[in-house]
Amino acid sequence: MTSAEEALTAVAGGADRLELVRALETGGLTPAWETVHAVTEAVSIPVRVMLRENASMLMASADELRVLRATAAKFQELPIDGLVMGWVTGAGGLDVASLEAVLAAAPLCRVTFHRAFEHLADPFEGLKLLKRFRQVDRILTGGGAGLWVERKQRLRAWSAAAEPEIAILVGGGLSDTEVAELMADPQFPEVHVGRAARTPQENDGALDARKIAMLKREQ
């Protein structure tokens, strides 16, 4: 979701919470402060805001880290539910130093560690490290690469390892059928939808309240 207008559309369709980003084509980057403010003024459901300055899963530089710390501190002043962030190292480890630094700049914010999780060489070791951060309460992941049966098996294993400190929020590259299957599964009480809530890209890719409502009815 990228604007106050889309936020209102999502609410009209029955969304329970929102993730706010810009540049959807990159997987989402940090939105403008003015957009975050407008969304929090427009809706009353929880809003988590993406904190990401480049399209990779790596922290690009010390300058980028300074920007993200300053942005996180500013976002914390708004009535958001939390932030969405996460970085890995070039060797496929959890970038603990960057995560610590940004969390310290916004100590009151809860955090969803996003799909950088799928780039970890050892997701279970990553889970152990993430559990050290009390602000991190969710991990957004589509289960990695492969067939849906393989991805779902990983999701179940990661969910079991993450509990009780962290919940696995399933999202990313899910078909309508897979979303409906997950929404009927008590192990995954929250599902993150993107393309499944939009019209086809060859049309206009707009957020569709009717599609959101349909997904809600399938719970």
Side-chain angles (χ1 to χ4, degrees):
M1 187 266 302
T2 62
S3 66
E5 292 75 17
E6 286 197 341
L8 289 169
T9 298
V11 169
D16 299 304
R17 54 187 168 68
L18 303 172
E19 179 182 293
L20 179 60
V21 307
R22 67 174 171 85
L24 279 171
E25 66 278 4
T26 70
L29 299 177
T30 310
W33 184 93
E34 292 78 8
T35 303
V36 182
H37 180 261
V39 168
T40 56
E41 289 282 301
V43 303
S44 58
I45 62 175
V47 178
R48 293 209 175 182
V49 183
M50 180 67 76
L51 201 67
R52 183 174 178 234
E53 285 296 305
N54 74 77
S56 80
M57 301 301 177
L58 305 175
M59 184 68 70
S61 65
D63 284 341
E64 183 175 280
L65 180 58
R66 281 193 289 271
V67 169
L68 288 170
R69 281 174 50 81
T71 303
K74 288 181 65 177
F75 284 169
Q76 181 179 243
E77 296 173 359
L78 295 170
I80 61 173
D81 182 62
L83 298 168
V84 182
M85 66 174 84
W87 302 275
V88 298
T89 67
L94 183 71
D95 187 347
V96 173
S98 294
L99 187 60
E100 282 181 336
V102 177
L103 290 177
L108 302 180
C109 280
R110 295 183 292 180
V111 167
T112 300
F113 191 92
H114 64 50
R115 295 182 67 193
F117 183 79
E118 296 170 16
H119 294 255
L120 293 172
D122 186 343
F124 292 100
E125 179 62 24
L127 278 170
K128 291 179 183 177
L129 293 172
L130 287 171
K131 285 188 175 188
R132 298 179 185 176
F133 298 97
R134 293 188 178 183
Q135 289 169 256
V136 178
D137 63 5
R138 287 173 175 80
I139 293 171
L140 173 62
T141 173
L147 299 173
W148 172 236
V149 64
E150 300 168 327
R151 293 162 59 201
K152 190 170 183 181
Q153 185 175 16
R154 284 191 213 108
L155 289 166
R156 289 191 177 282
W158 292 345
S159 178
E163 294 175 347
E165 296 92 341
I166 299 173
I168 296 296
L169 172 60
V170 186
L174 300 176
S175 69
D176 292 1
T177 301
E178 290 160 357
V179 170
E181 182 181 338
L182 287 167
M183 293 180 82
D185 190 329
Q187 188 171 0
F188 303 107
E190 296 180 327
V191 178
H192 175 91
V193 295
R195 285 178 298 175
R198 293 181 176 273
T199 59
Q201 193 62 46
E202 57 268 24
N203 294 335
D204 59 5
L207 199 65
D208 189 335
R210 292 171 299 179
K211 295 191 76 172
I212 296 171
M214 188 177 301
L215 290 168
K216 290 283 290 183
R217 285 196 296 271
E218 290 173 350
Q219 282 183 288

